[in-house]
Amino acid sequence: MSIEPAADEVELRVNGDPRRIRVDPRVTLLDALRDEFGLTGPKKGCDLGQCGSCTVLLDGRRITSCLTFAVMHDGREVTTIEGLGGDPEGELHPVQRAFVDHDAFQCGFCTPGQIMAAVALLDEGHAGDDDEIREWMSGNLCRCAAYPNIVTAIAAAAGR
């Protein structure tokens, strides 16, 4: 006799769309986004919350989605890199445009998490100077060392 794992129904508003899933309560938000919704923008880098590649916005605030369970966020709004632009014409979000314009990526693996953290940083008002940007982006790692260009892109998106 096999025992079925427990499953909970969770409703999330993902990139503006209401979505309902049944998941094991141990499934992380990151795994639900990737495996249940097919959103591969948030990356599974370290699975420990140390690299920031899984950063998404939860009700407008940045979180590392690998450190939280999907069931904890029933009824909440999740925004991933896929939902950031939101423009039907395919226009990039100003932070995405700044990353392109300032060559703020190399391999691209960390870029979705970097951009989501940068959007939050700007919304939080933490782009006063380059040191402040570096401090507030310190939870997002880039193995290619594109940090100077990331800071420049964020400063540009902030209008500096």
Side-chain angles (χ1 to χ4, degrees):
M1 177 171 109
S2 69
I3 298 175
E4 290 286 321
D8 290 331
E9 191 165 291
V10 178
E11 185 170 338
L12 300 167
R13 188 164 197 79
V14 181
N15 298 327
D17 296 324
R19 308 282 297 267
R20 185 175 296 276
I21 54 171
R22 288 191 61 79
V23 293
D24 182 303
R26 299 167 293 182
V27 170
T28 65
L29 180 57
L30 173 62
D31 288 336
L33 291 170
R34 291 180 61 82
D35 300 340
E36 300 296 326
F37 300 131
L39 298 170
T40 57
K43 304 293 189 246
K44 187 178 279 198
C46 66
D47 220 15
L48 300 168
Q50 296 174 345
C51 73
S53 65
C54 66
T55 302
V56 299
L57 303 180
L58 180 68
D59 295 332
R61 297 182 55 95
R62 65 176 129 177
I63 63 162
T64 47
S65 60
C66 73
L67 290 183
T68 187
F69 298 113
V71 296
M72 296 169 63
H73 306 295
D74 188 37
R76 298 188 60 195
E77 174 81 29
V78 179
T79 305
T80 68
I81 192 76
E82 291 91 345
L84 192 56
D87 185 290
E89 300 298 317
E91 285 294 314
L92 296 176
H93 182 280
V95 174
Q96 291 172 309
R97 170 58 44 212
F99 268 62
V100 171
D101 291 348
H102 296 279
D103 198 26
F105 53 89
Q106 287 185 31
C107 80
F109 186 83
C110 73
T111 305
Q114 296 278 357
I115 290 173
M116 297 308 290
V119 168
L121 173 150
L122 292 169
D123 288 346
E124 295 160 2
H126 296 299
D129 60 32
D130 289 357
D131 288 337
E132 186 176 27
I133 291 171
R134 279 190 283 278
E135 175 67 26
W136 285 93
M137 291 296 291
S138 64
N140 289 76
L141 304 179
C142 173
R143 293 186 178 122
C144 300
Y147 297 115
N149 295 16
I150 291 169
V151 171
T152 300
I154 295 169
R160 297 195 298 111

